[in-house]
Amino acid sequence: MSKKIILSGIQATGKLTLGNYLGAIDNWVKMQEEYNCYYMIANLHSLTVRNDPETLKNNTLKILAIYIAAGLDPEKNTIFIQSQVKEHAELGWILDCYTYMGELSRMTQFKDKAAKHADNINAGLFTYPALMAADILLYQANLVPVGEDQMQHLEITRDIAERFNKLYGETFVMPEGYVRKSSARIMGLQDPNQKMSKSATNLNDVIFLEDEPDVILKKFKKAVTDSENEVRFNPETKPGVSNLMQIYSSITSKTMQEIEKEFEGHGYGDFKTKVAEAVIEKLEPIQKKYKEILDNPKYLEEIYTKGAESARKLASETLNMVKQKIGIIV
Ligand code: TYM
């Protein structure tokens, strides 16, 4: 039996966070043996907010380097840059024409970003989910591993696919979202009611994958908790402590009960240090490899060139089928 197909990606805007790592990349690494995986860098999606051109270019390569440093094997996976496979933009446009304004205006990411960038609520920001649907449907992906915040985009992808299939007959495979429970939504360290985000204004709220060990330790030590001094899982009443437990759990694979037991009778100071140490231990080898890879732009170019070639094969097959069905001369 042929392997099931996975597609996922990360926007090339800003520095990657521990949320991106635990919510996405770490899961991808675990899935690479079992599935036929396509992992991309969504640099076209990045254009929905203003970027300095040089920074966008650098971020694209940095994310590629993180993918490899974190353990994605370019021999086993197709790793590519979205803009280098032109089929994404083309199918994105086609799917725009099968996506309703009403659906798009319900997207929470659109509402959040529109509020944050009130001076630049561009059409791309609005139609963003149709391009994301194109990313997924071009590869006939069965599974899309993401953090919880992307599930709404996955649902609209399924609605678009279903609509298209109904109109033109079976065309797209219906993709399923895959969210790992322990890392579905890593929250901010200063505001544990908001997800940890690349665009946080308070830098103590977010662990960046490039943060040095002493910075990571400091940020965890400052993390907001509560006055109970008891390590117990309850996201409603103890969001700060519960978030630290989630982070610890997704790194060590320990259950919440095991973690509660481990820290019984210990204060928060000790607990925070242990969480920080676990994160540092996990990130240090990745950071070391990341620096080595970034120093080798030729190697990165080889990977993305080969990745785009391989991605184009399946993407062009799907796009041609779509065009034939809707009456666009191929
Ligand atoms: P992006 O770039 O915002 O985030 C990339 C991945 O990281 C996950 N993530 C988190 N998971 C847990 N806790 C957090 N605090 C956290 N922050 C981010 C996201 O859920 C995501 O899985 N639109 C997408 C990129 C994209 C894409 C795609 C994804 C473009 N095309 C096709 C999947 C399939 C985005 O903006 O993710």
Side-chain angles (χ1 to χ4, degrees):
M1 218 176 72
S2 63
K3 287 181 177 176
K4 286 195 170 176
I5 297 177
I6 279 187
L7 177 125
S8 200
I10 296 184
Q11 277 200 69
T13 323
K15 294 194 280 185
L16 294 196
T17 72
L18 188 62
N20 295 129
Y21 177 70
L22 295 177
I25 303 172
D26 190 36
N27 295 335
W28 304 351
V29 173
K30 294 190 172 112
M31 296 169 119
Q32 62 184 339
E33 305 292 337
E34 216 183 308
Y35 296 87
N36 182 7
C37 302
Y38 292 79
Y39 293 123
M40 58 166 218
I41 299 142
N43 60 341
L44 294 176
H45 278 111
S46 299
L47 300 178
T48 56
V49 297
R50 290 280 171 265
N51 295 280
D52 166 59
E54 207 49 42
T55 310
L56 177 58
K57 233 191 272 177
N58 287 335
N59 277 345
T60 306
L61 297 177
K62 280 180 169 183
I63 294 179
L64 178 61
I66 288 268
Y67 283 2
I68 313 294
L72 287 181
D73 181 346
E75 299 297 325
K76 286 191 188 137
N77 306 280
T78 300
I79 301 174
F80 65 101
I81 300 171
Q82 184 187 31
S83 61
Q84 295 205 317
V85 182
K86 295 192 171 61
E87 284 78 2
H88 289 250
E90 223 177 322
L91 185 64
W93 166 253
I94 294 174
L95 296 183
D96 274 347
C97 304
Y98 293 87
T99 309
Y100 298 123
M101 304 270 286
E103 288 174 309
L104 292 171
S105 54
R106 282 195 290 277
M107 296 292 117
T108 44
Q109 183 170 305
F110 170 70
K111 289 189 229 168
D112 289 350
K113 288 208 172 159
K116 246 189 216 154
H117 305 275
D119 55 339
N120 182 22
I121 307 177
N122 58 68
L125 193 62
F126 191 61
T127 61
Y128 179 114
L131 179 59
M132 182 160 155
D135 299 337
I136 296 167
L137 299 177
L138 272 176
Y139 299 92
Q140 305 289 17
N142 304 96
L143 211 62
V144 183
V146 284
E148 200 176 62
D149 62 315
Q150 292 300 315
M151 278 310 276
Q152 201 185 21
H153 289 157
L154 206 79
E155 277 152 29
I156 194 173
T157 299
R158 288 168 59 88
D159 291 340
I160 297 168
E162 194 177 64
R163 181 169 308 138
F164 196 97
N165 286 352
K166 270 207 181 120
L167 284 166
Y168 302 101
E170 253 353 84
T171 308
F172 295 124
V173 168
M174 205 50 90
E176 304 275 344
Y178 168 78
V179 177
R180 187 169 63 165
K181 211 168 146 235
S182 64
S183 58
R185 188 178 274 272
I186 302 296
M187 309 307 270
L189 299 185
Q190 290 299 312
D191 181 358
N193 295 307
Q194 297 286 336
K195 77 162 187 178
M196 184 181 282
S197 159
K198 291 172 195 159
S199 56
T201 42
N202 181 349
L203 295 185
N204 285 326
D205 200 47
V206 39
I207 303 288
F208 293 110
L209 296 187
E210 290 179 40
D211 280 347
E212 297 289 337
D214 58 325
V215 175
I216 295 178
L217 182 62
K218 246 186 240 154
K219 287 183 178 177
F220 273 108
K221 288 221 154 165
K222 285 191 185 142
V224 166
T225 47
D226 52 61
S227 55
E228 271 187 6
N229 222 20
E230 186 188 353
V231 177
R232 189 163 44 79
F233 189 68
N234 187 334
E236 304 277 299
T237 57
K238 296 167 74 71
V241 168
S242 301
N243 184 43
L244 296 178
M245 291 177 76
Q246 296 271 23
I247 293 172
Y248 193 62
S249 163
S250 52
I251 289 178
T252 61
S253 302
K254 291 180 183 165
T255 64
M256 293 306 164
Q257 284 90 333
E258 285 168 341
I259 298 171
E260 284 173 1
K261 199 130 201 274
E262 183 177 345
F263 294 100
E264 214 176 85
H266 293 240
Y268 285 161
D270 191 16
F271 171 54
K272 286 176 173 178
T273 306
K274 281 275 166 38
V275 179
E277 281 170 0
V279 171
I280 291 166
E281 202 186 314
K282 184 87 185 173
L283 294 188
E284 256 186 332
I286 298 175
Q287 292 175 335
K288 188 165 168 272
K289 205 161 168 213
Y290 166 71
K291 283 184 194 143
E292 285 166 16
I293 296 170
L294 262 191
D295 272 346
N296 191 349
K298 265 252 130 333
Y299 175 60
L300 287 173
E301 191 181 333
E302 267 169 38
I303 293 173
Y304 69 67
T305 306
K306 196 168 135 247
E309 261 167 38
S310 153
R312 252 178 242 131
K313 282 190 201 126
L314 186 49
S316 61
E317 213 176 276
T318 308
L319 182 65
N320 283 345
M321 173 169 65
V322 167
K323 284 178 166 174
Q324 273 157 5
K325 292 202 177 196
I326 60 178
I328 297 286
I329 295 171
V330 177

